[in-house]
Amino acid sequence: QVQLVESGGGLGQPGGSLRLSCAASGFIFSNYNMRWYRQTPGKERELVATITSTGGDTNYADSVQGRFTISRDNAKNTVYLQMNSLKPEDTAVYYCYTMRYTVSYWGQGTQVTVSS
């Protein structure tokens, strides 16, 4: 069974950094692209970053470009989101995502709050 488990969320300071992790199991991790989404109450879910199966290409939302970095370690079946220069508007629940055979798989989410 496919499972995605996020960790690393918490309280961050404006201008500070947090690193999120997503541990994957139940599928051949190295064969699939991975994504990070985020959602704030009252707003649409936003695609934050995408990484290809090999890690050779990445893509970012304009709102995080230059501040966030997505990476993966296929030997550890883990995808990361390094969040630098945090802003209050980065506050959201962050979700790890992949799709296989038309089925979407989501982690349980990890809360990130950016406040002084």
Side-chain angles (χ1 to χ4, degrees):
Q1 182 176 345
V2 172
Q3 284 194 304
L4 303 172
V5 181
E6 302 97 333
S7 61
L11 179 62
Q13 299 291 320
S17 298
L18 288 171
R19 192 188 196 196
L20 307 183
S21 298
C22 172
S25 61
F27 63 103
I28 304 174
F29 179 74
S30 60
N31 286 354
Y32 291 88
N33 297 348
M34 301 296 297
R35 290 176 170 178
W36 285 98
Y37 285 84
R38 67 185 182 186
Q39 188 164 33
T40 301
K43 296 177 63 178
E44 294 291 323
R45 186 168 296 181
E46 176 187 18
L47 175 60
V48 176
T50 301
I51 188 166
T52 56
S53 59
T54 64
D57 196 21
T58 57
N59 194 33
Y60 300 92
D62 289 343
S63 57
V64 307
Q65 181 73 47
R67 301 188 298 117
F68 290 9
T69 302
I70 187 171
S71 62
R72 66 194 296 161
D73 186 341
N74 284 349
K76 296 182 177 180
N77 286 0
T78 302
V79 61
Y80 305 95
L81 186 67
Q82 179 67 45
M83 307 164 61
N84 297 331
S85 302
L86 286 167
K87 302 177 179 180
E89 53 262 42
D90 295 322
T91 296
V93 178
Y94 285 73
Y95 297 91
C96 184
Y97 168 93
T98 194
M99 185 176 72
R100 193 168 71 110
Y101 304 126
T102 77
V103 178
S104 295
Y105 295 93
W106 300 87
Q108 83 288 350
T110 185
Q111 175 72 50
V112 171
T113 302
V114 182
S115 175
S116 60

